[in-house]
Amino acid sequence: MSDVQSWIKETVTANPVVLFMKGTAQFPQCGFSGRAIQLLKACGVQNMVTVNVLEDPEVRQGIKDFSNWPTVPQLYVKGEFVGGSDIMNEMFDSGELQTLLKD
């Protein structure tokens, strides 16, 4: 396992909610990342870790390899990959996201 893969694994397992995104929570750099942040805030998430993949090309590619998912943003809850903004949106509409993030 590469250093980037090890770092990603450590990050998603050490923090209850991690969003790999373009930009930051305060300044998302794409609409999908912005929507993901809005959904997490709407669910009342206070303590999330965000990782700006635009700052490091290795992390940007590494997270895609780690999850076998081609796009960013990517949400991890309790170490498990949840999905991107479309999946988050569907889960939010059905109430699943709120339930998942309650703890």
Side-chain angles (χ1 to χ4, degrees), residues 6-71:
S6 298
W7 180 82
I8 291 169
K9 183 176 175 74
E10 186 178 312
T11 300
V12 301
T13 53
N15 301 285
V17 179
V18 182
L19 183 68
F20 288 83
M21 63 182 289
K22 293 178 180 174
T24 64
Q26 295 76 25
F27 191 66
Q29 299 271 298
C30 81
F32 295 109
S33 291
R35 181 68 182 141
I37 290 293
Q38 286 177 332
L39 291 168
L40 291 171
K41 287 182 177 174
C43 291
V45 175
Q46 303 287 325
N47 298 325
M48 73 178 106
V49 171
T50 60
V51 178
N52 182 357
V53 300
L54 299 177
E55 291 180 344
D56 187 338
E58 279 189 60
V59 172
R60 186 175 185 173
Q61 185 56 50
I63 192 60
K64 294 174 186 179
D65 296 339
F66 183 80
S67 62
N68 201 23
W69 191 260
T71 58

Side-chain angles (χ1 to χ4, degrees), residues 43 75 77-78 82 86-103:
C43 291
L75 176 66
V77 177
K78 299 178 189 122
V82 175
D86 290 348
I87 291 170
M88 290 173 67
N89 216 26
E90 289 172 19
M91 290 176 71
F92 182 82
D93 288 346
S94 73
E96 280 181 84
L97 191 62
Q98 297 87 322
T99 301
L100 180 66
L101 294 166
K102 242 182 221 154
D103 294 332

